[in-house]
Amino acid sequence: RELDVLSAEAAANCAVLRLQGRRTASDLRMQRRRQALLAIRTDLIHAQHATFTAWRFHCELRRTYDQRFQAAERFVGQVLKEENLQFCSQILHQWRSQAKQQQATMSGATSGMSC
C-alpha cells in the first residue's frame, strides 16, 4: 500500500512538473513572440525613419537645386541682357560708321556731279 501511495505521489509530482514545464515553455514562447514583434516593430520604425529622412533630403536637395537653377537663370538673363546691350551698341556703332562712310562716299561722289 505504501508503494501505491509513493507511486501516486511520484505520478502527481511528475504531472505537476510536466504542467510547470508546459507553462514555462508557453511563457517562453510568448516572450519570444513579444520580442519578435518588438523587433519587427523596431525595424518598421527604422525603415519609416530612413524613408522619411531620404524623402526630406530629396526635398531639400530639390529645393536647393531649384534655388540654384533660378539663380543661374537670373544670372544668365542678366548676362544675356548685358551682352545684348553690348551687341546692340556694337551694331548701332557699326551702322553709324557705315552711315558716315556712305555719307562721305555719297558727298564725294555727288560733289563732282552737277545737275
Side-chain angles (χ1 to χ4, degrees):
R1 184 156 164 87
E2 281 184 39
L3 286 177
D4 288 340
V5 171
L6 288 176
S7 161
E9 283 180 10
N13 284 335
C14 184
V16 167
L17 288 175
R18 196 171 41 239
L19 287 176
Q20 286 177 346
R22 286 180 184 170
R23 189 177 315 124
T24 303
S26 176
D27 289 345
L28 288 173
R29 272 195 301 275
M30 289 301 292
Q31 185 179 9
R32 278 194 310 250
R33 187 174 294 138
R34 270 187 256 121
Q35 288 173 348
L37 290 174
L38 180 63
I40 291 170
R41 183 173 180 265
T42 303
D43 285 346
L44 286 175
I45 290 171
H46 176 72
Q48 288 172 344
H49 178 71
T51 303
F52 176 73
T53 302
W55 175 75
R56 189 184 71 206
F57 176 74
H58 174 74
C59 290
E60 289 174 4
L61 188 65
R62 181 65 187 188
R63 187 178 318 116
T64 303
Y65 172 79
D66 288 343
Q67 289 171 351
R68 287 184 179 169
F69 186 76
Q70 290 170 359
E73 278 184 328
R74 286 192 301 270
F75 177 74
V76 167
Q78 185 65 30
V79 167
L80 288 177
K81 188 186 296 182
E82 290 172 5
E83 285 181 0
N84 200 9
L85 288 174
Q86 289 175 352
F87 179 71
C88 288
S89 69
Q90 287 173 356
I91 288 179
L92 188 59
H93 181 29
Q94 287 175 357
W95 287 348
R96 284 183 180 151
S97 298
Q98 288 173 359
K100 285 180 184 178
Q101 287 174 357
Q102 287 176 355
Q103 191 177 26
T105 308
M106 295 284 283
S107 66
T110 57
S111 65
M113 297 179 110
S114 56
C115 295

